């Protein structure tokens, strides 16, 4: 899931690679889906637009139809989102990183596959208990 439009291209590449390379290993999964949007790096962090973005992206993190979520940040965006709860119920289902810290797009895809593998294994193993 892209935190900002600048990471959308990488999110699409991650989903494409995960579906090609990881999905065959996990027969109980339907696929890896890129959640992208067109909100920019310089979005004001106060106001209705930002609140809506946070609410929608947070909803994906907690939605029972998603076995897990990888939040992909660019790194320099104003909206440094930390959406997904990292409690005992979600620790194995949520991960995040930023593209600039890992060294660019190609490395981001490689790292994403490493982080998605255990999330996918957890989701493939069976239903998770969800909060609420």
């Amino acid at each position: 899931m892209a935190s900002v439009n600048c990471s959308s291209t990488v999110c699409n590449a991650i989903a494409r690679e995960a579906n090609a390379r990881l999905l065959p290993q996990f027969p109980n999964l339907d696929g890896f889906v890129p959640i992208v949007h067109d909100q920019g790096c310089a979005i004001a962090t106060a106001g209705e637009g930002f609140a809506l973005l946070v609410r929608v992206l947070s909803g994906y993190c907690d939605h029972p139809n998603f076995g897990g979520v990888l939040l992909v940040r660019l790194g320099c965006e104003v909206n440094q989102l930390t959406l997904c709860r990292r409690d005992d119920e979600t620790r194995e289902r949520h991960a995040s990183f930023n593209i600039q810290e890992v060294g660019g797009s190609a490395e981001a895809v490689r790292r994403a596959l490493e982080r998605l593998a255990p999330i996918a294994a957890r989701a493939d193993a069976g239903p998770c208990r969800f909060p609420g």
Side-chain angles (χ1 to χ4, degrees):
M1 178 170 62
S3 70
V4 66
N5 66 327
C6 304
S7 59
S8 293
T9 300
V10 170
C11 284
N12 285 314
I14 290 167
R16 192 171 40 255
E17 288 296 312
N19 281 315
R21 295 168 51 188
L22 292 179
L23 188 58
Q25 301 171 40
F26 303 106
N28 295 319
L29 300 186
D30 294 328
F32 295 87
V33 180
I35 306 297
V36 299
H37 55 88
D38 64 358
Q39 295 301 306
C41 293
I43 189 171
T45 58
E48 187 177 337
F50 183 73
L52 178 62
L53 176 63
V54 170
R55 188 168 60 244
V56 169
L57 296 180
S58 293
Y60 285 114
C61 287
D62 297 330
H63 200 283
N65 288 335
F66 286 91
V69 174
L70 175 64
L71 180 64
V72 180
R73 300 183 194 92
L74 176 60
C76 60
E77 63 267 25
V78 171
N79 58 328
Q80 295 292 316
L81 302 175
T82 54
L83 301 170
C84 301
R85 290 183 288 202
R86 300 287 296 197
D87 56 24
D88 289 341
E89 294 295 324
T90 61
R91 194 169 324 279
E92 296 175 352
R93 299 187 313 110
H94 296 160
S96 66
F97 69 90
N98 85 51
I99 296 165
Q100 292 172 338
E101 281 183 0
V102 301
S105 298
E107 182 63 16
V109 172
R110 189 187 74 69
R111 296 262 183 109
L113 295 181
E114 288 176 358
R115 293 193 180 183
L116 284 172
I119 293 171
R122 173 67 175 95
D124 189 64
C128 304
R129 292 187 311 131
F130 293 95

